[in-house]
Amino acid sequence: MAAFPHSPNQTFRRLRDRNSPAEFAAMVRRAAKEIGETVSCDARYIGRVESGEIRCPNYAYERVFLHMFPGRTLADLGFSPREAVRGRSAQRSAPFTLKESDVLRRAFMAGGSATVAAATLGFTLLGDTRRLPSRAGESEAAAVEEAVRQIRLLDDRHGADALYRKAAEPLRTAYALLDAGASRQSTEDRLHAGAGELAISVGWLAHDSGRFDDARSHYAEALATARVAGDAGLEAHAFSNMAFLARDCGRPRESVRAAQAGRRAARSLGSPRLLSLLALREAGGWAGLADRKACEEALTRAHTEFSRGTAPADPEWMSFFGEAELESLESRCWATLGEHARAARHARRAADLQDPHFARNVALYTAELADDLARAGAPDEAAWAGGRVLDLLTEVQSTRIRSMLSGTARALVPHQRSPRVDAFLTRHAAV
């Protein structure tokens, strides 16, 4: 990677202003939606632009950036001329482009074989492990990283159910690449991190689609990869998801232990937001143990760390964690402790704050709101929120959200004399 040094793009960094990389990435995605483009922009991509690694964006990003900053040219944004970048990159292997990824993503959503799924998630000719290179290089490491981004993008928009089995093949390929070894230590480090993050992403798809045993296996695989590579960030991520899974499986003490282990791993990383999320995971475990005092202490830590704001060390995968997610996770704590009216206030705020781009999270938070309202004695409001979730489930596929909505429907059966509740129950039964 050192063969072609690059200078930071200070101009682009100034344009980001006080927004975090994750917040600016969300602005880029919204701008893309305004002009009908599809880009899988995240905090890591913004970091690559600002570091100078991306000297000129592809055509999709070019259109989005020029839409965001009208009247400016790529040069005004700190980028190099396209022909200059092409001239240099022609000596290297062709990179995987996001334009290619957009085409493959459409094929993915239309279905297809495991080979098509692997390609859609960022792998070229890697669906068949017999065709792997003898030693992995930068292009293979980049393909693994792109697979992680594509899974997260598709999950945000469509939920996990349609994605899980299609994502298994790229994961096997990523670990086959690790077994083959890499040409450089830096590439091997990227492969370890990428394969571990891919295992967590696939584990989350299993988790969200109700395949808890599969999720547990994938999270454990990611944790083992983190330990082998000495990657504290990956270890903290794995423990965070393991704590979440343990809570959903009804193992609250395990949830507390996993969250505390994640906090130890994250302590030296310099990311208050990561520590905030891990405190919320721990709070959820304490709520499951009916330990209100310990839960409140963990929630206080979560808010304290969150108030410290974003940091350059915030992991890329945490782009989902903003005020809406914090409100949602606190809502779950109060619901577990039986304070459903209080939980509903937090769930409503979560749904109101959530960026519509994250369709699955909007559906999840609204389902949480519906359930809390139903159990707090507000059946008509719960039926309205439940109807909103049914609207969202036309584009989101999530077993977890459907199961939550089924619980809400059961809670509303005693109130079916209400026309609004009856209409919701009839529609839910039909769906």
Side-chain angles (χ1 to χ4, degrees), residues 33-181:
K33 190 173 182 180
E34 289 172 3
I35 61 173
E37 280 292 351
T38 304
V39 295
S40 54
C41 189
D42 53 24
R44 184 180 178 87
Y45 181 86
I46 299 302
R48 293 173 66 203
V49 170
E50 293 179 0
S51 71
E53 180 184 344
I54 295 177
R55 298 170 57 211
C56 184
N58 68 26
Y59 290 107
Y61 274 99
E62 176 182 351
R63 288 189 287 273
V64 175
F65 291 150
L66 296 183
H67 170 68
M68 292 177 69
F69 304 103
R72 305 196 193 196
T73 65
L74 285 182
D76 295 333
L77 303 181
F79 292 109
S80 301
R82 192 174 301 281
E83 58 273 14
V85 176
R86 282 179 173 172
R88 172 168 285 186
S89 64
Q91 302 171 20
R92 308 174 69 184
S93 60
F96 183 88
T97 68
L98 289 172
K99 186 174 183 180
E100 176 188 7
S101 173
D102 289 341
V103 175
L104 292 173
R105 182 162 58 251
R106 287 193 289 272
F108 181 97
M109 294 313 298
S113 67
T115 303
V116 171
T120 308
L121 293 171
F123 289 86
T124 53
L125 300 179
L126 297 183
D128 185 349
T129 55
R130 294 171 297 181
R131 305 180 67 178
L132 292 176
S134 57
R135 305 283 282 179
E138 294 296 320
S139 61
E140 285 76 29
V144 174
E145 292 164 350
E146 179 65 13
V148 176
R149 294 189 192 103
Q150 293 300 331
I151 285 176
R152 290 172 183 163
L153 176 70
L154 291 164
D155 176 50
D156 285 340
R157 293 180 178 176
H158 304 286
D161 287 9
L163 305 178
Y164 172 58
R165 296 202 179 280
K166 294 179 180 180
E169 185 65 27
L171 180 61
R172 284 192 290 270
T173 302
Y175 277 94
L177 285 169
L178 269 182
D179 289 340

Side-chain angles (χ1 to χ4, degrees), residues 331 343-353 365 369 373 381 384:
S331 167
R345 290 195 294 272
H346 288 282
R348 190 188 303 277
R349 183 162 171 75
D352 290 343
L353 287 169
Y365 302 158
L369 173 62
L373 289 169
E381 287 187 76
W384 173 86

